[in-house]
Amino acid sequence: VCASELSSGINAEYGAVPTSAAPQMSQPAPPPITSLPPAAMNHGPVNAVAIMDRIPSAYDQKSLSFKAGDYIKVTKQNENGLWEGECNGRFGVFPFNHVRVTE
């Protein structure tokens, strides 16, 4: 099979696709959607309140557990969505969407 047959689509029994059948990208890709709230750009300590209970696995030594209404001091807001903080004297990580920033 020669390259001219593949590019023109003559050799269809071998799975060649004419270049005219490929989708055309006329617009640039949209910017990525971030699920982090604007407060996540601030990497300093902020206060938050838990909006739901968080009970991680007993085997997970790094996760922070809390109950809805607990106050949490957020010490680090990681870009991956796992924030670090302190609640009731315990330190650990938790998903940012389980809290609401109060500052």
Side-chain angles (χ1 to χ4, degrees):
V1 177
C2 69
S4 64
E5 289 178 339
L6 288 175
S7 65
S8 65
I10 295 173
N11 205 349
E13 69 266 31
Y14 292 107
V17 178
T19 56
S20 61
Q24 301 297 318
M25 299 289 290
S26 60
Q27 297 178 353
I33 297 173
T34 177
S35 56
L36 295 176
M41 296 305 119
N42 172 11
H43 293 282
V46 296
N47 293 318
V49 63
I51 58 174
M52 63 179 65
D53 291 352
R54 167 114 172 105
I55 305 171
S57 166
Y59 299 106
D60 189 351
Q61 300 294 317
K62 295 181 182 181
S63 290
L64 183 64
S65 63
F66 46 78
K67 295 188 181 287
D70 283 352
Y71 288 95
I72 300 166
K73 180 179 178 183
V74 180
T75 57
K76 188 172 181 184
Q77 299 169 344
N78 297 312
E79 300 264 338
N80 67 3
L82 282 180
W83 287 3
E84 299 174 26
E86 181 263 331
C87 179
N88 298 322
R90 295 180 322 259
F91 292 87
V93 297
F94 56 92
F96 80 93
N97 59 355
H98 285 124
V99 300
R100 180 176 39 87
V101 175
T102 58
E103 291 183 356

